Amino acid sequence: MFKKSLIAVAAASMLTLTACGGTGSAAGTAGTDKITMGFAQVGAESGWRTANTKSVQESAKKAGVDLKFSDAQQKQENQIKAIRSYIQQKVDVIAFSPVVESGWDTVLKEAKTANIPVILTDRAVDSSDKTLYKTFLGSDFVEEGKKAGDWVVEDSKSASDTVNIVEIQGTTGSAPANDRKEGFEEAIKANPKLKIIASQSGDFTRSGGKQVMEAFLKNNPDIDVVFAHNDDEGLGAIEAIEAAGKVPGKDIKIVTIDAVKDGMTALSNGKINFIVECSPMLGDQLMDLAKKVLAGESVPERVVTEETTFTQEQAKQVLASRPY
Ligand code: GYE
C-alpha cells in the first residue's frame, strides 16, 4: 500500500517536471529526454565571440539543454578533437562554429555514421555534401561586406583623388573573412577611385588589428580608409593610428563589422565612422533548431540572422541599451 503511493507520488512529480519543460532538476530522472548538445566554439578572440558564447550558454540553460562546451582557441585541430570526443560521448546533437571553411568532411562523416546530427552555427563549411549537416544558422557575411563597401562608396562620392583603403581581414580561410572581403570588393567597384592598397589578416583580434595597422602605416604614408573585418581589429587599428599621431575617424576613416559594445562606444566617440551589425545572439535559435531536428521535424537548410548598420548618430542613441 505504502509502496504503491510512493510510486504514485514519484510518478506525479515526474509529470510535473515534464510539464515545466524539464528544466534543470530533471537531469538524471529516468524517462526524461533532456537533450545533450556538444558545442565546439572557435575561441575567445573577440567581443563578438564572448557575447556568442554567453548567448549559447544562457539559451541552453533556459531550454533545459545539457551543454558540453569547448573552446578551440582558434585551432581547427582542437575543434576536430572536441567533435570526436562528443561523438564518443554519444551526445544527442553537435553544434559548432567552424574556425575555417575547409577540411571538415572526414569528421562530419564520422558524426553522420554515428547518427549524431550536426548544426553549423555562425560560420559555414565548404563541404559539397550538404547531408553532412542539418542546417546552417548565421549571418550573411557577403551582405555585411557589401554594406561596409556601400558606406565607403557613399562617403567618398565627391572625392577628387584616389581613395586609399587598407583592409584588415579576419582569420585566414574563415567564412566571414572570405565573404566580407568578397562583398566589400564587389561594392567598391561602383567607384573606380576606391583602391585597396594593402590587405592582411589580423585574426579577428585587437592585438592582430594593431600590429597589422602599424605595418600598414609604416609602408603607406597616405591611408584614407580602414576596412576592418571586425570591431576588435578596428579598435586595435585605432591604437596604432593614435600612436602614429593621427586622428582615427578624421585623418583616417574606419569601417568595421560586429557592433559590440566597445565598437559602438568608439563609434559614438567619433573614432569609428560606420559599423555593420553582426549579431552574436544565436543561442535561442540554435536550441530551437536542435529540438526540431531531434524531434524529426524539418528545418530550413539556411537560417539567416537579421541585422542592421549604425552611423555615429545612431550609435549614440542605442549605446546605453546595447546588451553586449
Ligand atoms: O565577426 C568576429 C569573430 O564568425 C561572425 O568571428 C563571426 C566573427 C565575428 O571573431 O568578431
Side-chain angles (χ1 to χ4, degrees):
M1 234 344 238
F2 178 65
K3 246 188 189 168
K4 255 190 196 164
S5 55
L6 255 189
I7 291 168
V9 170
S13 61
M14 254 168 70
L15 272 180
T16 324
L17 285 172
T18 319
C20 292
T23 42
S25 51
T29 314
T32 53
D33 44 8
K34 192 166 184 180
I35 293 172
T36 303
M37 174 187 283
F39 186 86
Q41 181 61 290
V42 168
E45 73 281 5
S46 63
W48 190 99
R49 191 63 55 196
T50 308
N52 178 248
T53 292
K54 200 166 164 235
S55 165
V56 170
Q57 288 173 335
E58 284 178 0
S59 298
K61 218 179 206 173
K62 230 179 10 187
V65 169
D66 179 12
L67 186 74
K68 296 184 185 302
F69 180 89
S70 56
D71 172 337
Q73 298 179 320
Q74 297 239 70
K75 291 205 178 76
Q76 180 171 35
E77 73 225 56
N78 291 345
Q79 265 190 323
I80 291 176
K81 260 189 221 150
I83 294 169
R84 290 210 165 113
S85 118
Y86 295 146
I87 296 172
Q88 233 165 29
Q89 294 171 57
K90 297 188 167 56
V91 299
D92 298 311
V93 56
I94 292 171
F96 82 115
S97 175
V99 58
V100 290
E101 283 191 279
S102 52
W104 297 103
D105 284 32
T106 308
V107 71
L108 289 178
K109 274 181 197 147
E110 288 167 20
K112 195 179 171 187
T113 309
N115 263 322
I116 302 175
V118 171
I119 298 176
L120 300 179
T121 336
D122 154 40
R123 295 185 185 178
V125 297
D126 65 3
S127 309
S128 52
D129 182 356
K130 304 283 178 241
T131 69
L132 293 177
Y133 54 91
K134 296 291 173 194
T135 177
F136 165 33
L137 162 68
S139 310
D140 181 338
F141 299 134
V142 177
E143 193 53 36
E144 290 173 350
K146 268 193 192 138
K147 288 180 189 165
D150 285 344
W151 183 84
V152 179
V153 169
E154 186 56 32
D155 185 64
S156 51
K157 244 188 349 209
S158 51
S160 48
D161 253 350
T162 306
V163 177
N164 290 328
I165 304 169
V166 294
E167 178 183 33
I168 308 177
Q169 293 184 39
T171 300
T172 306
S174 70
N178 293 342
D179 295 354
R180 286 171 183 169
K181 180 170 189 50
E182 181 190 323
F184 185 82
E185 281 175 355
E186 182 61 38
I188 62 166
K189 275 188 195 151
N191 182 351
K193 288 211 171 71
L194 304 181
K195 291 237 158 60
I196 299 178
I197 56 163
S199 179
Q200 249 180 57
S201 171
D203 213 13
F204 280 132
T205 64
R206 212 171 280 204
S207 59
K210 186 177 178 194
Q211 261 178 37
V212 169
M213 193 63 205
E214 280 166 358
F216 285 167
L217 286 162
K218 238 191 227 160
N219 300 329
N220 309 279
D222 193 17
I223 297 170
D224 299 304
V225 178
V226 175
F227 168 43
H229 284 194
N230 78 345
D231 286 355
D232 284 84
E233 290 175 335
L235 293 161
I238 289 174
E239 290 175 31
I241 293 168
E242 287 177 338
K246 296 195 173 179
V247 183
K250 298 222 161 57
D251 297 336
I252 298 179
K253 292 189 175 170
I254 304 177
V255 186
T256 66
I257 298 176
D258 274 355
V260 294
K261 198 101 181 196
D262 287 354
M264 293 291 272
T265 304
L267 183 62
S268 310
N269 295 339
K271 295 189 178 190
I272 293 180
N273 300 78
F274 188 68
I275 300 186
V276 177
E277 183 185 40
C278 177
S279 174
M281 311 303 271
L282 303 175
D284 286 351
Q285 279 171 296
L286 173 61
M287 299 310 146
D288 208 48
L289 286 167
K291 285 187 174 173
K292 285 191 174 138
V293 165
L294 290 169
E297 290 171 38
S298 71
V299 292
E301 65 182 52
R302 177 78 170 98
V303 181
V304 183
T305 319
E306 271 181 44
E307 33 215 26
T308 181
T309 59
F310 296 99
T311 60
Q312 293 174 337
E313 279 316 306
Q314 287 166 331
K316 277 181 206 157
Q317 280 158 29
V318 300
L319 186 63
S321 58
R322 199 80 186 148
Y324 54 89

